Amino acid sequence: NAGVTQTPKFRILKIGQSMTLQCTQDMNHNYMYWYRQDPGMGLKLIYYSVGAGITDKGEVPNGYNVSRSTTEDFPLRLELAAPSQTSVYFCASSYSGGIYGYTFGSGTRLTVV
Amino acid sequence: AQKVTQAQTEISVVEKEDVTLDCVYETRDTTYYLFWYKQPPSGELVFLIRRNSFDEQNEISGRYSWNFQKSTSSFNFTITASQVVDSAVYFCALSEPMEYGNKLVFGAGTILRVKS
């Protein structure tokens, strides 16, 4: 059972470039989330989804977009990368809407230079 | 909105010492869920425990124990006889209702360094 798979694991972007962080889960979870982790700040919610076709903003959505066309996939899009988006990004999924916690992916370390 | 405070930014102990990681939370909800996650140097986030607001029993799992006290809004985590492998960042988290489902609100984390 793969769980939550994130790709890539590392990426360096130049300012203004775009990229998509991929996230796939094979547990048939309806709920999926994107968090970013900055040193000393814990994890902040960027976007979440409660099922295919339904997404909503979290605490820090500016500069990001998401889509959810299937239950399995929840990609995160950065359109115009900025240094402030340098962070570690975690995708997570949950079958229970979060009350039993999340299963996290292994993370993507993104540096914008 | 919910808030989680982990006042200890970093703790260093020598192997075999006991160590307690503090977590204080704020919520207006009567039903909520608390969590601890471990982030070892490899970077993944590992689930340790979940506690709901109606269950104040302390829990022990091997060298790990958790003390949940609603009266002080605290959910502290103790490692007994610490080992080098316990070195990690530990996050406390609290559920917060959203329009659909819940999200987890995380504290800033406590870096635990266990020296041999």
Side-chain angles (χ1 to χ4, degrees), chain B residues 34-47:
Chain B
L34 292 159
F35 304 83
W36 277 94
Y37 281 85
K38 175 182 179 180
Q39 186 177 43
S42 51
E44 73 272 22
L45 287 155
V46 179
F47 169 84

Side-chain angles (χ1 to χ4, degrees), chain B residues 6-113:
Chain B
Q6 294 181 254
Q8 302 151 309
T9 303
E10 185 170 338
I11 302 174
S12 289
V13 298
V14 177
E15 210 170 17
K16 298 184 182 178
E17 283 186 24
D18 299 346
V19 57
T20 295
L21 310 181
D22 297 333
C23 174
V24 174
Y25 62 92
E26 296 177 26
T27 181
R28 294 183 179 178
D29 297 328
T30 55
T31 301
Y32 53 90
Y33 303 87
L34 292 159
F35 304 83
W36 277 94
Y37 281 85
K38 175 182 179 180
Q39 186 177 43
S42 51
E44 73 272 22
L45 287 155
V46 179
F47 169 84
L48 294 178
I49 190 171
R50 165 190 180 269
R51 176 65 76 226
N52 75 54
S53 53
F54 299 107
D55 182 2
E56 288 194 70
Q57 280 191 336
N58 291 333
E59 179 143 347
I60 299 174
S61 176
R63 297 183 296 106
Y64 295 172
S65 62
W66 290 270
N67 180 263
F68 175 31
Q69 293 196 336
K70 288 179 75 171
S71 60
T72 56
S73 297
S74 64
F75 187 42
N76 296 337
F77 173 30
T78 297
I79 302 175
T80 302
S82 60
Q83 300 176 2
V84 172
V85 293
D86 296 326
S87 296
V89 183
Y90 290 87
F91 292 99
C92 180
L94 169 66
S95 63
E96 177 175 326
M98 301 188 293
E99 184 174 358
Y100 306 104
N102 293 269
K103 69 174 181 181
L104 297 190
V105 175
F106 287 83
T110 296
I111 300 170
L112 175 64
R113 302 190 195 278

Side-chain angles (χ1 to χ4, degrees), chain A residues 36-44 60 64 84-89, chain B residues 91 108:
Chain A
R36 60 177 286 172
Q37 180 184 11
D38 300 305
M41 302 290 288
L43 285 80
K44 302 294 184 186
V60 290
Y64 307 96
S84 60
Q85 293 177 304
T86 294
S87 188
V88 180
Y89 292 84
Chain B
F91 292 99

Side-chain angles (χ1 to χ4, degrees), chain A residues 25-43:
Chain A
Q25 53 94 6
D26 62 358
M27 297 171 286
N28 203 35
H29 288 172
N30 283 326
Y31 294 85
M32 295 188 74
Y33 310 83
W34 276 104
Y35 281 82
R36 60 177 286 172
Q37 180 184 11
D38 300 305
M41 302 290 288
L43 285 80

